[in-house]
Amino acid sequence: MTPFGERVRQLRRERGLMLKDMAAHLGVSSAYLSALERGERGKPTWTLIQGVLQYFNIIWDEADELARLADLSDPRVKIDTSNTNHRATLFANRLAREIGNLSEDDVEDMLAILDNAQERERRAVTPVQAPQDAAYDSSPGP
């Protein structure tokens, strides 16, 4: 199951909606929508995402979150390691081979590492306000 598929299924079930009714509204087959929910289909199109948002009457932050989940829901990921070191390439290849053997705890630990790396990058990009120059400090000195 993909993050997008899991969230769509959760929304549909919370609202007591039938898969076949949602599929008809979106103009797709029940089989396709079921496969999308289970993660057996690739990343949904922009048009389908917009249809899902409209179907559930989702706006603002929740709409942004669902679109973000759709972007992270390609079950056939391709990783370009051409601009990284050899260890990153090794890691990507090992992950591709071993991901099915990882426990839920292993996956959660790796996600936490990636979240920390993303936060570090976000902090590095955020401009830090420089302290005021002491030469221009008008407060009384010692």
Side-chain angles (χ1 to χ4, degrees), residues 3-54:
F4 178 80
E6 181 179 30
R7 183 67 179 133
V8 168
R9 179 175 282 179
Q10 179 185 26
L11 288 167
R12 189 174 53 73
R13 288 182 172 170
E14 283 173 358
R15 290 167 167 82
L17 302 169
M18 307 250 329
L19 184 114
K20 67 180 178 104
D21 296 334
M22 183 176 175
H25 175 83
L26 296 173
V28 298
S29 70
S30 295
Y32 173 81
L33 185 56
S34 178
L36 186 67
E37 285 186 358
R38 291 190 317 270
E40 296 170 1
R41 288 298 195 169
K43 189 167 94 171
T45 64
W46 183 85
T47 303
L48 185 68
I49 295 166
Q50 295 306 306
V52 169
L53 295 174
Q54 187 266 332

